[in-house]
Amino acid sequence: MTTGMTTERANFGSKLGIILATAGSAVGLGNVWRFPYMTGHNGGAAFILIYLGCILLLGIPGMVSEFIVGRHSHANAARAYASVTTSKRWGAIGLLGILTSTIILGFYAVVAGWCLYYLWAAVTGDFGGQAESAQLYFQQFTGDALRPALLAIGFILITHIIIVRGVRDGIERASKLLMPLLFILLLVIVGASCSLPGASGGVEFLLKPDFSKVTADVFLEALGQAFFSLSLGTACLCTYASYFNHHTPLLRSASQIAVVDFIIALLAGLMIFPAAFSVGVEPDSGPSLIFITLPTVFRQAFSFMPLLGWAVSVMFYALLVFAALTSTISMHEIGTAFFHEELKIKRSQAAWILTVVCSVIAMLCALSVARPAIQVLGKPLMDFCDLLTAQVMLPTGALLTSILIGWYAPRKLVHDEFSNYSSSTPTLLFRTYLFSVRYVVPLCIVLILLHQFGVL
Ligand code: TRP
């Protein structure tokens, strides 16, 4: 344990606060925006089953491992990883995580900026109700880089302000109120979407698996999506766990967060696909999917009471912006904690470093959506950042963490953290966890990565 650090560092105030803030990091655009378009792209229900498998088999053990690293050290990501064994070199995993989350924050802020714009459009009742006009509306907005770039930077600045106010005041208080609200609103919109004519096709697409669509790529995308959605593989969970106290049950918290995260993603699917099928939008239409289908739900499903439709749409985008915010906060916090503690500068100064770097990435990403000619390795920069992080950097971070905890960390440390220093934790549970971080997680990730690079 780093002496002195624990007293200076913030702690989460309550048990519920910890779970909500960590769940707030997990629940975000990954669930509502990325999960539906990945599901649409990979053929529906079969993808969801594989995704669920990835969460149970790799996600939960991976989360517990990051929690162990973070809570053991009560320090920023790089120092936390360096303090697990006597070899400081493992700190590189933390550095990789900081780099990954900085890139993610860059492109994530662009989508969060789109949501901000749609919040405004919902307030003014501006977006089209028909699928074609909604599509045109989205293309016109993202086709001009200036507004999306400014909105993305604005979003990063909002994140910055909250980060500077500190952990308990900023992150925890807001999560407590707004997370449950998002959940309830999702249920309302799912109901509305499923009531549209022809919606049953979408429900079937989500719930009836067609295994002929499953290729090796589907596994890779499911793995990337699972890690992205759980905020796994960038030391984000490790950073949050460094604020946990010694009573936080790690396995139970990881499982609860994974369940909440999965349910929210599934609800987002149930909200979007019935509507997409009802109005004839292709389920595989990519990142624009939710921005095209949702305006239709609001306009058509609530046509009997437009005022209600208006209120629901405004509330929905407001909560989506909030969900994105609790996620961007967690990405920002990783680097901020690192620079603050390692360079020994003020938190606000550390936060500025992140804010400036991420703003530059966000600007370039927004530009690459408007001018797809701005490419890296044949893909627009925005897509490239998304794929590089979700399908290479996150799995690599999780793989290395798993190897560290499974093979190199002192067994006593792992056991103490896993069991909260109590001897009442069933041995079988610990053995199963250990087996999975030693063998299952590394093997599965390596196989999937080897396939990605064309070796298998
Ligand atoms: N999990 C978040 C979402 O689903 C995104 C996110 C937040 C994230 N922090 C992260 C992804 C760290 C990877 C790493 O929207």
Side-chain angles (χ1 to χ4, degrees):
M1 187 172 300
T2 26
T3 40
M5 200 63 92
T6 38
T7 44
E8 287 166 26
R9 301 187 99 231
N11 264 314
F12 284 115
S14 68
K15 234 171 161 178
L16 184 66
I18 297 164
I19 299 297
L20 282 180
T22 317
S25 158
V27 174
L29 299 175
N31 308 60
V32 183
W33 161 72
R34 202 173 187 277
F35 175 80
Y37 95 74
M38 281 286 148
T39 304
H41 183 235
N42 289 297
F47 172 83
I48 298 182
L49 282 180
I50 298 171
Y51 172 72
L52 187 60
C54 287
I55 290 186
L56 296 177
L57 212 61
L58 313 176
I60 294 178
M63 292 174 82
V64 173
S65 304
E66 269 197 37
F67 284 167
I68 289 178
V69 176
R71 192 178 61 176
H72 163 70
S73 65
H74 289 293
N76 68 71
R79 192 179 299 198
Y81 275 94
S83 71
V84 173
T85 67
T86 47
S87 163
K88 296 265 173 286
R89 260 179 284 165
W90 292 104
I93 307 178
L95 292 178
L96 173 73
I98 292 164
L99 178 67
T100 314
S101 52
T102 308
I103 301 177
I104 296 183
L105 179 52
F107 76 81
Y108 198 92
V110 175
V111 185
W114 296 349
C115 297
L116 216 47
Y117 183 76
Y118 270 68
L119 171 60
W120 176 243
V123 171
T124 55
D126 197 22
F127 45 41
Q130 305 301 328
E132 297 81 43
S133 56
Q135 198 146 16
L136 199 66
Y137 188 79
F138 182 75
Q139 280 163 356
Q140 271 172 356
F141 163 59
T142 53
D144 138 49
L146 189 64
R147 263 186 311 178
L150 289 179
L151 284 167
I153 294 173
F155 206 92
I156 297 175
L157 285 175
I158 299 173
T159 310
H160 177 103
I161 293 170
I162 299 179
I163 281 284
V164 171
R165 291 194 55 197
V167 179
R168 191 181 293 198
D169 277 354
I171 308 176
E172 189 178 332
R173 208 186 290 158
S175 297
K176 261 190 195 159
L177 175 70
L178 295 172
M179 288 276 297
L181 213 57
L182 174 69
F183 184 75
I184 295 169
L185 199 68
L186 273 177
L187 285 178
V188 172
I189 303 175
V190 168
S193 175
C194 289
S195 71
L196 291 171
S200 59
V203 178
E204 200 168 288
F205 177 77
L206 269 187
L207 301 181
K208 215 163 155 197
D210 170 4
F211 289 102
S212 67
K213 303 243 175 70
V214 176
T215 61
D217 286 341
V218 174
F219 281 87
L220 181 65
E221 301 220 322
L223 178 81
Q225 174 59 27
F227 287 0
F228 188 90
S229 192
L230 296 173
S231 309
L232 190 63
T234 68
C236 173
L237 297 174
C238 160
T239 304
Y240 268 28
S242 74
Y243 304 113
F244 287 2
N245 63 36
H246 275 284
H247 304 294
T248 314
L250 301 188
L251 178 63
R252 195 180 328 144
S253 309
S255 312
Q256 283 169 343
I257 292 164
V259 168
V260 170
D261 193 65
F262 180 72
I263 292 176
I264 302 251
L266 205 61
L267 284 179
L270 276 172
M271 161 175 94
I272 283 149
F273 288 108
F277 274 71
S278 166
V279 293
V281 171
E282 288 300 320
D284 62 352
S285 50
S288 59
L289 184 65
I290 73 161
F291 296 98
I292 302 173
T293 49
L294 281 180
T296 319
V297 181
F298 299 133
R299 195 63 55 97
Q300 291 189 6
F302 292 100
S303 57
F304 65 97
M305 211 195 236
L307 195 62
L308 183 64
W310 177 84
V312 169
S313 68
V314 171
M315 262 165 55
F316 174 75
Y317 284 110
L319 287 173
L320 191 56
V321 163
F322 174 76
L325 193 59
T326 53
S327 297
T328 53
I329 288 170
S330 74
M331 296 176 217
H332 202 296
E333 175 65 21
I334 309 173
T336 300
F338 172 73
F339 289 122
H340 167 54
E341 292 174 9
E342 296 306 311
L343 300 183
K344 309 219 173 347
I345 51 179
K346 280 201 236 142
R347 247 183 95 82
S348 57
Q349 290 169 326
W352 273 117
I353 301 180
L354 260 286
T355 298
V356 170
V357 174
C358 293
S359 296
V360 172
I361 300 177
M363 224 162 59
L364 294 173
C365 283
L367 194 65
S368 83
V369 176
R371 309 270 176 281
I374 302 179
Q375 293 194 343
V376 181
L377 297 179
K379 290 201 185 315
L381 183 66
M382 173 98 175
D383 303 12
F384 176 77
C385 288
D386 182 333
L387 289 183
L388 174 73
T389 50
Q391 299 189 2
V392 181
M393 296 174 87
L394 297 183
T396 306
L399 171 67
L400 294 174
T401 305
S402 200
I403 294 175
L404 170 65
I405 291 293
W407 294 91
Y408 292 92
R411 188 62 45 86
K412 178 167 175 350
L413 183 160
V414 178
H415 184 268
D416 284 348
E417 289 296 336
F418 184 87
S419 61
N420 285 356
Y421 293 84
S422 106
S423 51
S424 61
T425 305
T427 335
L428 184 65
L429 201 60
F430 180 63
R431 288 236 178 98
T432 313
Y433 163 71
L434 208 58
F435 180 78
S436 86
V437 286
R438 282 171 78 94
Y439 302 103
V440 183
V441 176
L443 204 70
C444 290
I445 299 180
V446 165
L447 285 179
I448 295 175
L449 282 180
L450 285 180
H451 170 77
Q452 154 97 332
F453 292 112
V455 183
L456 266 185

